[in-house]
Amino acid sequence: NAGVTQTPKFQVLKTGQSMTLQCAQDMNHNSMYWYRQDPGMGLRLIYYSASEGTTDKGEVPNGYNVSRSTTEDFPLRLLSAAPSQTSVYFCASSERLTVYGYTFGSGTRLTVV
Amino acid sequence: DQQVKQNSPSLSVQEGRISILNCDYTNSMFDYFLWYKKYPAEGPTFLISISSIKDKNEDGRFTVFLNKSAKHLSLHIVPSQPGDSAVYFCAASDTMNYGGSQGNLIFGKGTKLSVKP
């Protein structure tokens, strides 16, 4: 099925480790987004990409890095994992940079111990 | 400071009755509002939206009402069904500034709706 695919679905990291959360979409969407969902906090934007080759910071970018070298992929890198990064991470895409028509992935649940 | 507020973390409703989920916002520049629905272990899915030039938008059992003077919107589900049990997120945007530092989609904390048979 067409959509947004996130891998892995679950991950446990030790403090200080680095890792990359993968996100791929097959809808030829121009724009992609990374959100984190914490209990009682709703969804907060980490980084977004309006189109291939561009990225911008969202509300909570510290401790993360992204790149957008292809239209399909938008990986999120945790540089040195901290317990505060324990969260559920959602990737989303939309046809263009717009509030309309976000398609979300099913999420990655990350625990940092 | 929270710009989009969903003050009820949870709501329980009997099947067949009306569910009313509320959302308040503080930023008067917001001009587009959306509701997303999220089941456990899944990503949010778009449910319904409304532009600030309207005060009501209807889609089947779902209706969103917007009261700009009160900076308040609500989602009505009639009749409620057990399959509606999910977390509902309210989101808002200043679309004139979308993509800039002030214009990204802002989500509330969500309200967990439970519809009992």
Side-chain angles (χ1 to χ4, degrees), chain B residues 2 4 13 17-19 21 30-31 34 38 46-47 53-54 57 60 63 74 83 85 88 94-95 103 105 113-114:
Chain B
Q2 208 180 343
V4 177
V13 170
R17 307 294 290 269
I18 184 171
S19 296
L21 294 92
F30 285 152
D31 60 355
L34 307 93
K38 183 185 177 306
F46 170 74
L47 186 59
I53 63 173
K54 295 185 175 182
N57 189 26
T63 303
S74 60
S85 297
Y88 290 78
D94 168 9
T95 61
L105 204 54
L113 173 66
S114 299

Side-chain angles (χ1 to χ4, degrees), chain A residues 52-90:
Chain A
E52 179 181 333
T54 70
T55 61
D56 282 287
K57 295 178 181 179
E59 182 185 354
V60 288
N62 291 344
Y64 306 95
N65 205 350
V66 293
S67 60
R68 185 88 184 279
S69 56
T70 68
T71 299
E72 294 78 20
D73 300 299
F74 190 40
L76 177 72
R77 296 182 188 84
L78 279 71
L79 308 173
S80 176
S84 61
Q85 293 178 304
T86 294
S87 187
V88 181
Y89 292 84
F90 290 101

Side-chain angles (χ1 to χ4, degrees), chain A residues 23-66:
Chain A
C23 176
Q25 54 94 5
D26 59 4
M27 297 170 285
N28 203 32
H29 282 173
N30 286 314
S31 301
M32 298 185 74
Y33 316 82
W34 274 106
Y35 284 87
R36 59 179 288 175
Q37 183 193 8
D38 301 298
M41 294 296 290
L43 292 159
R44 293 183 293 168
L45 184 64
I46 305 171
Y47 270 96
Y48 66 100
S49 168
S51 60
E52 179 181 333
T54 70
T55 61
D56 282 287
K57 295 178 181 179
E59 182 185 354
V60 288
N62 291 344
Y64 306 95
N65 205 350
V66 293

Side-chain angles (χ1 to χ4, degrees), chain B residues 37-81:
Chain B
K37 176 179 179 179
K38 183 185 177 306
Y39 292 117
E42 295 183 11
T45 56
F46 170 74
L47 186 59
I48 192 169
S49 63
I50 188 167
S51 164
S52 60
I53 63 173
K54 295 185 175 182
D55 54 18
K56 176 183 174 181
N57 189 26
E58 208 169 339
D59 184 2
R61 296 186 296 113
F62 303 91
T63 303
V64 56
F65 296 92
L66 176 62
N67 182 335
K68 283 191 297 181
S69 61
K71 294 191 178 70
H72 176 83
L73 64 154
S74 60
L75 174 68
H76 292 210
I77 306 174
V78 184
S80 301
Q81 300 173 354

